[in-house]
Amino acid sequence: MKNKQIVTWIAFLLVIPLLSGCWTLVAAGAGAYGGYKMKENGYTLQNPITKEKKSKK
């Protein structure tokens, strides 16, 4: 019984680092998509974030 418990803990500890990379990719993808949608609506990434003004010519 103790061997099974040890193997379970080792497997659990090995899986955690593998999943952390996936969550990083998901967060980066969500941020990129949000930035793309903001750019579509006329916003630019400046400090502070502002909407582009259309010049009247």
Side-chain angles (χ1 to χ4, degrees):
M1 182 67 176
K2 189 169 180 146
N3 286 341
K4 185 177 179 182
Q5 220 172 13
I6 292 171
V7 171
T8 302
W9 276 106
I10 290 172
F12 179 72
L13 291 175
L14 290 175
V15 168
I16 295 293
L18 295 175
L19 292 177
S20 65
C22 295
W23 291 114
T24 304
L25 289 176
V26 168
Y33 180 74
Y36 174 77
K37 290 310 251 183
M38 285 181 68
K39 185 70 175 171
E40 239 179 33
N41 292 328
Y43 288 91
T44 59
L45 297 176
Q46 298 175 351
N47 193 10
I49 296 175
T50 58
K51 194 167 187 175
E52 289 179 357
K53 295 178 181 167
K54 308 253 181 190
S55 61
K56 296 180 182 177
K57 288 185 179 182

